[in-house]
Amino acid sequence: IYIYIYILFFFNLVSVLLLQYSVTWAEAKNWCRSQLDGNYDLAIQRNALDILYFSKICNDLQTTCWVGLRDRQGIGWSWNNGPNISRLDTNWSAGHPGSTNCGAVYKGKLVDHNCGKLLFSLCEYNHLVFVEEKKTWEEALDHCRALEPDASKRMDLLSFRDEEELSYAQEEMTRAQTEEVWIGLRWLAGRWLWMDRTAGGVITLPECPANGNQCGTLSGGGQQARSCVEKRRFFCLKQAN
């Protein structure tokens, strides 16, 4: 079995692994979930560009790859624990979907095949850990950092480096059914700083936060400045190596 790891567009938030070994869709899903203590699963689409990125990996090998897409009775085509396919700019190949039930990518398009067909597979590793318990910003930061004592594998409050990663994080909030979460932005020494020490990043908070609102949150509407003593849910981010 040959395995290759690629880091795609969301290099800070998700990694994609290619299983270069032909298996059925169910075998691919089980294999993905067996990796890294179950943190992998078959790759899913979150925006219109993902299928192109997935296909780029498979096209390098001139092959078709399973992804986490399935036609389920009574539901229709949907992604594993992900956004409903009807909400995405989905690009099926001509003649697809047909009468089979499992999804794959080929040459920049989605295709469907019999679930027993043997194909390569794309697994993804989500670097985000959702914490449902509400905490203050300081408590949330301490909680994340305590999850991984090894400094080389450090976890921190959610950060993002570009608009695509921000959109990815908002989609994960939708999946977690939460409206607003703490992020790793704090007003210190007269400016907003990411606590994971990443340079730059997307910051759209006011340059002079009012009323002591010196901690950052993320909602579907973007970033907000909030009082650090409010209690909210949050994501911890395992830093990419």
Side-chain angles (χ1 to χ4, degrees), residues 6 10 12-13 24 27 52 64-66 83 95 101 108 110 116 140 148 171 173 193 213 239:
Y6 293 78
F10 306 115
N12 194 40
L13 303 186
T24 67
E27 289 170 339
L52 295 177
T64 305
C65 295
W66 289 127
N101 302 107
L110 286 174
E148 182 53 76
E171 188 61 57
M173 289 172 54
L193 296 174
N213 294 336
Q239 301 300 316

Side-chain angles (χ1 to χ4, degrees), residues 145 147-156 197 239-241:
R145 290 181 172 178
L147 289 177
E148 182 53 76
D150 184 347
S152 66
K153 301 177 181 178
R154 184 167 57 87
M155 297 188 77
D156 225 316
R197 301 180 181 85
Q239 301 300 316
N241 294 327

Side-chain angles (χ1 to χ4, degrees), residues 9-199:
F9 199 84
F10 306 115
F11 63 94
N12 194 40
L13 303 186
V14 63
S15 306
V16 174
L17 179 152
L18 170 67
L19 171 61
Q20 192 180 339
Y21 184 73
S22 297
V23 294
T24 67
W25 189 90
E27 289 170 339
K29 185 172 183 63
N30 289 336
W31 188 89
C32 290
R33 290 185 168 184
S34 71
Q35 305 307 301
L36 292 182
D37 300 321
N39 288 322
Y40 273 95
D41 206 340
L42 277 171
I44 68 170
Q45 179 188 16
R46 292 178 176 84
N47 63 55
L49 295 177
D50 281 348
I51 299 304
L52 295 177
Y53 288 114
F54 295 163
S55 295
K56 175 61 171 63
I57 293 176
C58 295
N59 288 351
D60 287 345
L61 300 173
Q62 296 297 305
T63 190
T64 305
C65 295
W66 289 127
V67 291
L69 181 63
R70 186 82 187 265
D71 184 13
R72 295 170 174 83
Q73 187 174 6
I75 299 177
W77 286 96
S78 60
W79 296 96
N80 293 333
N81 300 316
N84 189 298
I85 197 167
S86 63
R87 291 170 44 219
L88 297 169
D89 181 16
T90 303
N91 195 359
W92 288 98
S93 182
H96 295 269
S99 58
T100 53
N101 302 107
C102 286
V105 291
Y106 180 64
K107 291 187 176 180
K109 308 279 187 178
L110 286 174
V111 295
D112 65 305
H113 287 293
N114 185 297
C115 300
K117 188 177 180 66
L118 302 180
L119 299 174
F120 289 1
S121 313
L122 289 173
C123 307
E124 71 173 20
Y125 173 58
N126 191 338
H127 293 265
L128 294 178
V129 177
F130 178 60
V131 179
E132 189 169 357
E133 182 182 359
K134 293 183 178 180
K135 296 178 180 287
T136 67
W137 188 91
E138 294 282 358
E139 290 170 343
L141 181 67
D142 290 342
H143 180 98
C144 290
R145 290 181 172 178
L147 289 177
E148 182 53 76
D150 184 347
S152 66
K153 301 177 181 178
R154 184 167 57 87
M155 297 188 77
D156 225 316
L157 273 173
L158 168 64
S159 64
F160 32 82
R161 305 179 189 183
D162 53 40
E163 293 291 342
E164 294 297 333
E165 289 190 353
L166 185 152
S167 297
Y168 174 92
Q170 289 174 317
E171 188 61 57
E172 290 299 296
M173 289 172 54
T174 300
R175 292 177 66 191
Q177 298 182 332
T178 191
E179 295 181 354
E180 189 169 349
V181 295
W182 289 125
I183 57 177
L185 274 175
R186 182 71 184 263
W187 179 260
L188 293 169
R191 59 178 179 149
W192 289 102
L193 296 174
W194 289 107
M195 291 298 98
D196 66 356
R197 301 180 181 85
T198 54

Side-chain angles (χ1 to χ4, degrees), residues 218-229:
L218 179 68
S219 68
Q223 297 174 38
Q224 309 291 334
R226 303 295 190 196
S227 169
C228 301
V229 298

